[in-house]
Amino acid sequence: MAIYEEINKIKSFAFEEISKTTDLARLEGLRIKYLGRKGELTQVLRSLEKYSGKERKAVGALANESRVGLENEIGKRQKYLEEAEFAKILEQERVDVTASLEKIPLGHLHLTTSAIRQIVDIFKALGFYRVRYPEIDTDWYAFESLNMPKSHPARDEWETFFIDSANSNIVLTPHTTNGQVHEMEKGQLPIRMINIARCYRRQSDISHAPMFHQFDGLLIDKSASIGDLKGTLEYFVKQFFGPKRKVRLRPFHFRFTEPSFETDISCDICGGTGRLKNGQICRLCKEGWLELGGAGMVHPNVLRAGKVDPKKYSGFAFGWGVERVIMMKEGLNIPDIRILYENDLRFLEQF
Ligand code: PHE
């Protein structure tokens, strides 16, 4: 009789232990403890040979039934523990999509970058493409090829930084006009380029930064005329500044254009009057007009320097400051051009 009791005892102990287990590793330990090769119930089954006949059958049946019962119980507990574990992971890894996050500050393009993009887009509509040439260039592209031989006094206006005083042939480009002969040297005509780059000059005041940007347009074709130049400039001014701003063309002199013009646009700070509301003279323009930059018909010597035949081709060119056009754009009253590059967020975030 003792064997039946033993089996039942094992079974009830096992059931209790199983129901108390809270982790899967320990549950596996219990499976081995009772049902493994050397497990308690397995051993009882092994001892069956001691019995015979009816008794053997009865003990065997009880032992088997207990084994199946234990296996089921372990299976159930396993499933329960696995589900509990999964639920725990879900809880731990839960993301609260309603929780408020710290706001990540969003940046935006610098005023100069967005102006450059607008300029490129406007000229693109007229068939101009953007080119880029070195900002450290030789004296030849910056001056000589532009009809400004060495020691010509006209050079003084371009307050040039020389890379190495011992080798004054290399300069920081003082204007983007250095791109013109580079572009002609490609040997592909007609040309409709816009060269936009940084320029450098030894000057610093409310309307000059030592590093600034220019966009230099060059068109070379078989019958380029002053009328085409004027139409192009007016198109740009209307698109960029709006129809309200006034444009003035003044005869001027550049070594690389003939005839040459200076293009002015009415000042936005004083409304083109040269005086502020309080009667003081406008610090920015002083006389109601702001100089945008130069323009003119490409000088035959420049065409020759670029190996373009002036008898067959003519061209017009213009070179304006990007910062200047930003300052003059409607609604932007910037009292000092240098603030653009001081990286003061209080200023930059306003745009
Ligand atoms: N390069 C001239 C400047 O820096 C501007 C200019 C460009 C004038 C092209 C005429 C033609 O002032």
Side-chain angles (χ1 to χ4, degrees):
M1 274 305 139
I3 184 78
Y4 296 108
E5 271 168 34
E6 204 185 322
I7 294 173
N8 280 330
K9 220 164 101 190
I10 293 172
K11 198 172 128 188
S12 61
F13 263 130
F15 268 59
E16 197 176 333
E17 274 194 298
I18 291 165
S19 68
K20 282 186 186 154
T21 348
T22 51
D23 81 72
L24 285 160
R26 225 170 275 155
L27 186 66
E28 177 59 13
L30 288 180
R31 200 186 59 75
I32 292 164
K33 178 176 172 193
Y34 292 103
L35 302 172
R37 272 202 303 138
K38 289 178 184 163
E40 291 179 22
L41 205 59
T42 317
Q43 256 151 29
V44 172
L45 279 163
R46 286 228 179 95
S47 68
L48 272 182
E49 54 217 30
K50 283 196 269 176
Y51 304 91
S52 56
K54 259 192 176 169
E55 203 176 22
R56 182 169 176 167
K57 221 173 161 187
V59 174
L62 179 64
N64 254 330
E65 190 188 292
S66 304
R67 187 176 55 84
V68 173
L70 275 185
E71 274 168 359
N72 281 342
E73 203 57 21
I74 290 174
K76 271 197 271 171
R77 189 72 190 162
Q78 184 174 347
K79 201 168 161 229
Y80 169 81
L81 291 177
E82 276 169 1
E83 277 169 9
E85 193 155 295
F86 185 60
K88 204 167 117 197
I89 291 171
L90 279 188
E91 182 56 32
Q92 278 168 354
E93 295 181 0
R94 206 178 84 184
V95 174
D96 182 358
V97 291
T98 65
S100 60
L101 287 175
E102 212 180 290
K103 274 215 173 123
I104 299 166
L106 272 189
H108 60 78
L109 292 179
H110 188 276
L111 265 181
T112 305
T113 310
S114 54
I116 287 174
R117 293 193 182 179
Q118 282 172 40
I119 292 164
V120 172
D121 279 351
I122 292 171
F123 282 107
K124 211 189 253 172
L126 296 179
F128 285 80
Y129 48 90
R130 183 177 182 183
V131 298
R132 290 162 203 258
Y133 287 106
E135 289 168 11
I136 299 176
D137 211 349
T138 57
D139 190 272
W140 164 257
Y141 290 106
F143 292 116
E144 280 171 74
S145 67
L146 301 175
N147 203 27
M148 280 190 279
K150 281 223 161 102
S151 75
H152 194 285
R155 287 181 173 218
D156 293 351
E157 275 178 50
W158 285 268
E159 308 245 6
T160 312
F161 286 109
F162 292 90
I163 287 296
D164 179 353
S165 55
N167 177 8
S168 56
N169 252 348
I170 313 282
V171 300
L172 282 184
T173 48
H175 56 176
T176 40
T177 312
N178 73 313
Q180 296 192 358
V181 169
H182 277 294
E183 185 68 15
M184 290 181 219
E185 281 176 347
K186 280 191 195 162
Q188 285 164 10
L189 294 167
I191 289 171
R192 279 184 192 208
M193 68 148 211
I194 289 282
N195 179 31
I196 308 185
R198 275 172 284 264
C199 300
Y200 307 85
R201 289 191 200 175
R202 290 183 293 113
Q203 42 186 211
S204 178
D205 57 47
I206 60 162
S207 48
H208 298 93
M211 186 285 299
F212 59 102
H213 298 73
Q214 277 190 344
F215 55 106
D216 207 273
L218 173 70
L219 179 142
I220 296 182
D221 211 332
K222 289 214 164 107
S223 59
S225 69
I226 297 179
D228 298 328
L229 167 65
K230 199 161 171 254
T232 304
L233 298 185
E234 273 175 2
Y235 176 80
F236 171 75
V237 167
K238 295 251 180 297
Q239 293 295 312
F240 190 83
F241 298 102
K244 270 204 271 167
R245 303 301 284 273
K246 284 176 258 163
V247 181
R248 179 171 86 173
L249 280 182
R250 262 187 296 127
F252 204 71
H253 176 74
F254 291 107
R255 292 284 301 173
F256 34 89
T257 44
E258 182 57 42
S260 303
F261 309 100
E262 192 69 82
T263 320
D264 300 332
I265 183 167
S266 53
C267 173
D268 192 43
I269 288 188
C270 62
T273 60
R275 299 230 166 225
L276 301 177
K277 282 199 188 94
N278 62 12
Q280 277 181 354
I281 290 178
C282 177
R283 272 215 308 159
L284 185 66
C285 68
K286 298 183 183 82
E287 45 119 16
W289 292 94
L290 287 160
E291 186 187 303
L292 270 182
M297 302 308 290
V298 181
H299 195 287
N301 287 352
V302 178
L303 293 174
R304 273 183 218 110
K307 312 237 167 0
V308 174
D309 185 351
K311 285 193 202 91
K312 292 192 191 139
Y313 287 92
S314 56
F316 66 73
F318 51 90
W320 294 0
V322 175
E323 290 79 0
R324 289 286 181 99
V325 300
I326 292 172
M327 305 246 300
M328 287 170 240
K329 200 166 159 101
E330 214 158 0
L332 278 189
N333 295 338
I334 304 173
D336 187 328
I337 203 166
R338 294 167 296 189
I339 201 171
L340 281 167
Y341 302 112
E342 277 170 10
N343 285 339
D344 187 335
L345 287 179
R346 288 171 304 175
F347 169 74
L348 294 175
E349 278 171 352
Q350 294 175 54
F351 306 102

